[in-house]
């Protein structure tokens, strides 16, 4: 019981020296990778770089206590940073105390919401975001993020909350490009792109073993940081208009009390909810992928609690919304992390960096951080998915494209909402016009299939209809119309068998429709039979008067129903011997 | 084609003298019933009584041209009047020109929305309102409406948009009750209640034939109007503080140009949409019920156009939102109306009344109209439905109660929204945790059922799982977890057969989960087979690489799959002869 709510008690019991050394090793590698990433994502969120470091300390410790994934690494991530910038930007200007307060409040609200959703076991809400919607959102966010960083590469000032605005603002100031900044920015970008593909083979070529080469290549962003700092110092680039990170406050995160300003909370709760859901979905996807590789399991409802605790911790230590990120978790996993303790050790690493390393970053060009972001997010842009979706399902394609387009044109919040809305509408539309088939018996079997797709046997007096959907309020009206229309089209019909093998549920509205159909068919002297009704559905129907009023019977199988009804009509089924042989007629 | 968009061309072709006399007869009866009802509902909507008459003229003619129901009678109805009062009351005070303008604008917006939804063939959106939600909403509205009229029965002033407010306001002023008004009000209420049940037998007892007695009883409200007017005149009740209808402007409806004030439209579009949807659902339910009795059909998408045209006509003639009402349509049907022409004749009757009869209504007490409303709406209150729903389905019960409670406490608009939201959330929650069953073969048949409910035959090396839900993004995560967990719990399993007889759809997210399951089972050397995949589902899967990568086969029937896989494991199925006899092993 305790282990369910505090997973630390589960893995903590078997913790030993070997696991410790693996976790420590992973923590060192992740720490090195996280320092430039945390600074860069804070920049993307429009916050002072140190806030990214703050958000990478306490949250990791809290997730280690409450989270269920062994290898997930939480902290600032690209998409959530972009959403934070959009939400905080709507209530205050970047650089003001109000802006920082809004970011901290977002973390607090998001944390509280996640914990509440977790305690309500409402992890299923994350299902509202389908894979096509998520991938459309991530692609569009990647494009937005990369575009938002171009201004830092060019050394100009430009704003914009969506793609058309950003491109317009950039076009207006492109002539003011600072060549020194652009030189640093473009070199860092090209270097980082090369590192992704070319560094590992190059390091192997100079004799490093494969694994060491792979890990060293992950430190590419650190190399870019070091090299560009040296370039700034060597050529006095601060005198030539290159923007630098400047002084980062040294010391541990402050203890901050999040805002309790109701007016601010009213403005921020919707974006906080979206941040919570997107963050949760991203984190759970990453955690599940990694857990599956080692045949471990995660508990989605407890993950909500873990992420919520991490966000509350972030708010109390002056940070902004965090979640489990793909890149950092994959590095943590590959580096051999075995328990969430690796996350706690990473937190110690970042805390030490915050205490002692920040003066070294004074001369780091902002353009280098922008390059780190651009290279990281462009890998998120996935143009193959829409093609695959178009081929497989037009509805999924529509949801994907709607999400991508609305995100690009109207920003991240409306993008997510549009994706969920389009997905739901299409789902409800399909559920309201379900598939149904007139079925007949496949020769020499007891199996019944669609008369339009298979060579099957039917009888003129018997109409067998297979309903391919749960009978719910969404299609109750359709059901009545469909069945009565089919009967009206076939005057000889004297028995209707509804084959319910695919009817997974009958709600109150569906039952009313069945009653209406039964009543209407009864008026015309036509029997209504049900076959293959599922156990849970039958249990509920038995609690009503429906079976007493039914003009027919309920059969265990469609085959039994067909044989019995055929006998009643006096028509020997063809081939007769199929049934004769089994003593059914 | 023309008849599809202008149904008048269909019934118009066969119109003859006999149909004409039936329609005229029905029109006279409906006109007599409609005059007090139209005045009363305008009062409920907070509008001058004459607006109710205006809303009962042109809209009927337009519906006769564009509507598909032969017997639906459109005009002001109770629930829509209440919603109009709530929406218009939010932007202006009752009695002002702005309030009237808001009501007219609601009719215009609602008309335009209905026509657009009709042209988009979006009638399916009405499915979002389930029977339990509608019945909860109608019950709560009935209670709200009856309560809102108590002030007129007592002769006091009191406001309130929801039940607690109304009761509070009434409690504060109950001591100011005007005894004369109360006398008129309570007598009219008791008389009208008696008319509903007792008038028909009483009239039959004095010698009227059954049908004539029934029709005469429908004129009960007219009798109440006449009697109370006489009482006012006889006892000079206008001198004793009894509120009267007073002067009603004589003449045909004015031609009005609806407002194009964007600020007003922005405030009213949400209530207008809710009015449209509620009005449409009420109207279609009534139309379908009546059409079914005469084996006629209605076309829901064209009904949207018909109701839209009626509302636009209402707006242009100074009226307010209208829809097809149950009481008036039932009277129209019972009185023998055969075509929508009866509606047009009713319009002429109301127009004549507006021209010539309104001076007679000068001394009509408001309390009489309030009594008419109370008696009409209390029949809408249905307390049996929640009991029936509780027994049948807790989810439907929850949606019903949520709608009733929110409507009573927070008003009609939030009530509808809450009902739709709760219904959807519960639907999505169920879809995200579907039912699935481990199945085995029922002895001596080819039929497979749940091992927990039936005595069935299974094999230790073969796991047959029947998934009772479409595989969509709502349950993609669940599917992966469920299948892998079942396999993990049964170490001897070497083949998994997913029986897809109830899988009505596989969307892109569902396919990704199937791919992941296939991949994961393949790693463990376990075969994944599919059986009874539906035609439309298979068509789509064939467009992907899934079948090439599948570690197993797709079988037409579960029985074939089980036999083949059993043969492969080398275990002869028990009883062996079942398969041997059919040459399967």
């Amino acid at each position: 019981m305790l282990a369910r709510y505090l997973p630390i008690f589960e893995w903590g019991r078997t913790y030993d020296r070997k696991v410790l050394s693996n976790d420590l090793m992973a923590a060192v590698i992740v720490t090195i990778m996280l320092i430039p990433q945390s600074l860069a994502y804070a920049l993307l969120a429009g916050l002072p770089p140190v806030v990214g470091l703050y958000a990478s300390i306490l949250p990791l410790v809290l997730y280690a206590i409450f989270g269920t994934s062994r290898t997930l690494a939480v902290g600032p991530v690209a998409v959530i940073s972009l959403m934070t910038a959009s939400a905080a930007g709507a209530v205050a200007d970047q650089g003001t105390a109000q802006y920082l307060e809004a970011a901290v409040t977002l973390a607090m609200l998001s944390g509280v919401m996640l914990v509440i959703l977790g305690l309500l076991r409402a992890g299923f809400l994350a299902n509202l975001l389908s894979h096509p919607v998520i991938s459309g959102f991530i692609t569009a966010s990647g494009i937005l993020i990369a575009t938002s960083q171009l201004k830092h590469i060019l050394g100009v000032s430009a704003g914009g909350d969506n793609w058309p605005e950003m491109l317009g603002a950039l076009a207006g100031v492109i002539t003011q490009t600072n060549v020194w900044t652009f030189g640093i920015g473009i070199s860092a970008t090209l270097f980082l792109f090369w590192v992704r593909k070319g560094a590992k083979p190059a390091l192997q070529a100079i004799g490093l073993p494969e694994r060491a080469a792979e890990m060293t290549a992950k430190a590419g962003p650190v190399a870019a940081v070091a090299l560009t700092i040296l370039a700034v110092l060597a050529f006095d680039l601060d005198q030539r208009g290159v923007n630098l990170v400047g002084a980062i406050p040294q010391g541990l995160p402050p203890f901050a009390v999040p805002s309790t300003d109701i007016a601010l909370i009213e403005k921020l709760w919707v974006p906080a909810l979206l941040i919570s859901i997107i963050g949760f979905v991203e984190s759970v996807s990453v955690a599940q992928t990694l857990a599956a590789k080692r045949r471990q399991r995660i508990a989605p409802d407890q993950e909500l609690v873990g992420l919520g605790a991490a966000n509350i911790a972030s708010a109390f230590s002056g940070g902004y919304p965090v979640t489990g990120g793909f890149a950092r978790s994959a590095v943590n996993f590959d580096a051999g992390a075995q328990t969430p303790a690796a996350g706690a050790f990473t937190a110690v690493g970042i805390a030490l960096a915050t205490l002692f390393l920040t003066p070294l970053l004074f001369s780091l060009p902002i353009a280098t951080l922008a390059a780190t972001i651009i290279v990281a997010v462009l890998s998120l842009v996935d143009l193959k998915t829409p093609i695959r979706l178009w081929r497989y399902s037009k509805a999924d394609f529509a949801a994907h494209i709607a999400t991508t387009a609305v995100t690009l044109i109207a920003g991240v919040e409306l993008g997510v909402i549009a994706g969920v809305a389009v997905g739901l509408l299409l789902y409800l539309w399909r559920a309201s016009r379900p598939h149904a088939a007139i079925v007949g018996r496949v020769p020499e079997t007891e199996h019944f299939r669609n008369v339009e797709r298979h060579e099957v046997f039917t009888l003129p007096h018997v109409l067998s209809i297979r309903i391919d959907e749960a009978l719910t309020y969404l299609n109750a009206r359709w059901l009545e119309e469909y069945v009565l229309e089919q009967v009206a089209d076939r005057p000889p019909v004297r028995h209707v068998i509804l084959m319910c093998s695919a009817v997974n549920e009958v709600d109150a509205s569906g039952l009313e429709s069945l009653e209406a159909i039964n009543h209407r068919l009864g008026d015309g002297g036509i029997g209504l039979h049900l076959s293959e009704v599922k156990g849970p559905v039958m249990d509920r129907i038995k609690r009503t008067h429906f079976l007493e009023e039914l003009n027919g019977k309920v059969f265990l199988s469609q085959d039994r129903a067909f044989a019995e009804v055929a006998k009643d009509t006096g028509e020997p089924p063809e081939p007769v011997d199929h049934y004769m042989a089994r003593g059914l007629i």
Side-chain angles (χ1 to χ4, degrees), chain A residues 21 41 60 76 112 128 160 308 357 366 536 541 579 585:
Chain A
S21 81
Y41 288 151
L60 281 67
V112 171
L128 290 183
L357 295 185
I366 299 281
I541 290 182
Y579 286 101
I585 53 170

Side-chain angles (χ1 to χ4, degrees), chain A residues 136-213:
Chain A
F137 179 71
I138 300 271
T139 289
S141 300
I143 295 172
L144 279 182
I145 293 170
T147 310
S148 77
Q149 298 307 303
L150 283 180
K151 61 174 186 270
H152 297 305
I153 299 282
L154 300 173
V156 296
S157 292
D161 276 336
N162 57 49
W163 214 36
E165 279 178 26
M166 287 176 184
L167 291 179
L170 280 176
V173 295
I174 197 159
T175 52
Q176 300 161 22
T177 299
N178 178 299
V179 288
W180 295 98
T181 306
F182 184 66
I184 293 269
I186 201 77
S187 313
T189 307
L190 292 175
F191 173 74
L192 288 170
F193 269 119
W194 173 78
V195 161
R196 287 184 91 82
K197 299 274 175 198
K200 187 180 151 195
L203 289 165
Q204 281 182 280
I206 62 167
L208 251 70
E210 184 180 346
R211 212 177 123 72

Side-chain angles (χ1 to χ4, degrees), chain A residues 101 105 108 257-265:
Chain A
E101 188 190 7
T105 307
M108 187 68 202
V257 180
S259 168
T260 52
D261 175 357
I262 296 294
L264 185 63
I265 290 172

Side-chain angles (χ1 to χ4, degrees), chain A residues 217-556:
Chain A
K218 300 280 185 206
V222 176
V225 165
L227 292 173
T228 52
I229 290 175
L230 292 177
V232 169
L233 298 175
F235 303 106
D236 282 334
L237 294 183
D238 54 329
Q239 306 301 319
R240 301 179 199 266
V242 173
N243 285 323
L244 303 181
V245 166
I248 299 176
Q250 255 177 296
L252 287 177
F255 174 77
V257 180
S259 168
T260 52
D261 175 357
I262 296 294
L264 185 63
I265 290 172
E266 265 182 19
K267 283 185 205 149
L268 292 179
W269 75 267
V270 173
L273 184 63
L274 293 175
I275 286 173
S276 304
I277 292 176
I278 293 282
F280 174 62
V281 170
E282 176 168 357
S283 185
V284 161
S285 308
V286 174
Q288 255 168 350
T289 308
L290 297 180
K293 289 193 185 179
R294 289 202 191 142
R295 310 216 163 246
Q296 296 165 344
R297 298 182 57 77
I298 62 155
D301 288 325
Q302 180 61 25
E303 277 299 284
L304 282 166
V305 176
L307 289 176
N311 274 293
I312 294 172
S314 187
F316 276 101
S317 57
Y320 74 106
V322 295
T323 194
F326 182 72
R328 65 182 57 193
S329 300
V331 170
N332 194 35
F333 183 92
D334 289 342
Q338 290 201 288
T339 75
F345 300 145
T346 305
V348 173
I350 306 269
L352 292 174
T354 312
L355 280 173
F356 304 113
L357 295 185
T358 49
L360 296 180
L361 300 172
F362 184 92
S363 298
L364 173 61
I366 299 281
T368 306
L369 294 178
T372 313
I373 295 175
I374 288 175
V375 174
V377 297
L378 281 186
S379 69
L380 302 177
V381 175
D382 168 11
L383 301 176
K384 279 186 207 145
T385 293
I387 297 168
R388 195 171 50 77
L389 289 174
W390 170 260
R391 246 187 257 136
Y392 183 66
S393 153
K394 300 293 176 286
D396 280 316
F397 175 79
H400 177 85
I401 289 297
T403 312
T404 311
V406 177
T407 305
L408 281 178
I409 295 164
V412 279
E413 283 159 23
L414 283 177
V416 181
I417 293 173
V420 171
V422 171
L424 267 185
L425 271 184
L426 289 169
Y427 182 88
L428 296 173
W429 186 77
R430 284 184 303 211
S432 73
R433 316 190 163 197
H435 182 256
I438 309 295
V439 293
R441 186 165 53 71
V442 178
E444 302 300 318
T445 71
E446 300 174 3
H447 192 58
F448 283 70
R449 292 304 278 260
N450 192 339
V451 295
E452 287 169 17
R453 289 175 176 265
H454 300 267
E455 280 284 332
V456 295
F457 170 66
T458 57
L459 288 172
H461 289 2
V462 182
L463 176 62
S464 302
I465 302 177
R466 189 189 71 208
I467 308 289
D468 288 354
E469 184 72 67
L471 301 181
T472 66
Y473 69 99
L474 295 174
N475 52 36
R477 234 184 283 280
W478 166 89
L479 177 72
E480 237 174 290
E481 280 179 29
Y482 177 81
V483 173
L484 297 175
E485 206 168 288
Q486 296 302 319
V487 173
D489 289 351
R490 291 173 180 76
V493 164
R494 281 160 49 200
H495 291 276
V496 173
I497 308 171
L498 291 186
M499 181 176 169
C500 301
S501 50
V503 175
N504 302 312
E505 144 125 45
V506 176
D507 75 0
S509 309
L511 185 68
E512 281 182 39
S513 285
L514 281 180
E515 285 167 348
I517 292 169
N518 180 49
H519 190 72
R520 219 75 82 64
L521 291 181
D523 285 352
I526 298 171
L528 176 66
H529 310 271
L530 305 181
S531 75
E532 310 199 3
V533 182
K534 285 165 196 260
V537 173
M538 202 61 191
D539 288 349
R540 280 234 301 249
I541 290 182
K542 278 185 184 151
R543 274 182 257 152
T544 70
H545 298 292
F546 179 70
L547 295 179
E548 295 153 32
E549 285 155 20
L550 187 66
N551 311 313
K553 295 192 208 161
V554 178
F555 295 92
L556 186 71

